Amino acid sequence: MDTEVIFFIGRILLGGYFLFNAYNHLFKTKDLVGYAEMKKVPMAKTAVIVSGFLLLFGGYTIITGVRVTAGIAALVLFFIPVTFQMHAFWKEEGQTRMMDQVQFMKNLAILGAVLMLLAIPTPWPMSIGS
C-alpha cells in the first residue's frame, strides 16, 4: 500500500480519536465536569469546555493537514495539565491507582506520537490545499 495512503489513514484514526473526545467534552460536559471536580480541577466546567476546543482544533488539524503546528501546540496544551491533574496515579491507591497509571502512560504515549508529527515536513500528503 502507498505510504501516503497509510499516513492519511493514520491521520484519520489519530485525529478521529481527538474529535471523538472533543465531542464528549463539548456535548457531554455535565458527565465530565463531575469527574473533573472529583479530581479537584479548578473551574471544572470551563476546563472541560476549553479542553474540548483544544481537542477539536488538534484533531481537525491532524486530519486536514492544515495549521498542523498550531494544532499540535493545542494538543500539548491539553495533554500536559490533563495527564498530570486527572491521572496523578501516585496520589491514588489500589484499583484507582492502577487505572490512573494506565491512563497516564497512554496519554504520554499519545503525546509522544503527536510530537513526532512535527518531524514530518508540511504540507502533508493528501492535506486540504496541498
Side-chain angles (χ1 to χ4, degrees):
M1 187 181 285
D2 183 8
T3 57
E4 289 184 4
V5 172
I6 292 170
F7 182 57
F8 184 62
I9 292 169
R11 285 171 37 206
I12 291 170
L13 293 172
L14 184 60
Y17 172 81
F18 296 129
L19 295 181
F20 174 79
N21 285 291
Y23 174 84
N24 287 333
H25 281 239
L26 298 172
F27 294 100
K28 297 182 180 180
T29 306
K30 185 177 173 184
D31 297 339
L32 296 176
V33 168
Y35 184 62
E37 288 173 341
M38 182 184 81
K39 293 290 190 165
K40 311 259 188 285
V41 173
M43 301 185 327
K45 184 174 182 179
T46 301
V48 168
I49 292 169
V50 168
S51 63
F53 282 113
L54 292 171
L55 289 165
L56 179 66
F57 182 64
Y60 167 81
T61 65
I62 289 171
I63 290 172
T64 63
V66 175
R67 301 196 66 209
V68 174
T69 302
I72 290 171
L75 291 170
V76 169
L77 191 58
F78 166 81
F79 272 112
I80 291 177
V82 166
T83 301
F84 287 90
Q85 178 73 34
M86 299 299 291
H87 305 300
F89 65 91
W90 53 90
K91 296 180 182 178
E92 305 293 346
E93 294 180 16
Q95 187 76 11
T96 303
R97 181 184 181 101
M98 185 176 72
M99 292 179 67
D100 271 341
Q101 187 173 14
V102 168
Q103 294 300 316
F104 182 90
M105 298 307 290
K106 174 200 57 118
N107 280 7
L108 288 183
I110 294 170
L111 178 58
V114 165
L115 289 172
M116 285 191 292
L117 293 174
L118 291 172
I120 301 168
T122 55
W124 289 344
M126 302 175 84
S127 295
I128 292 176
S130 64

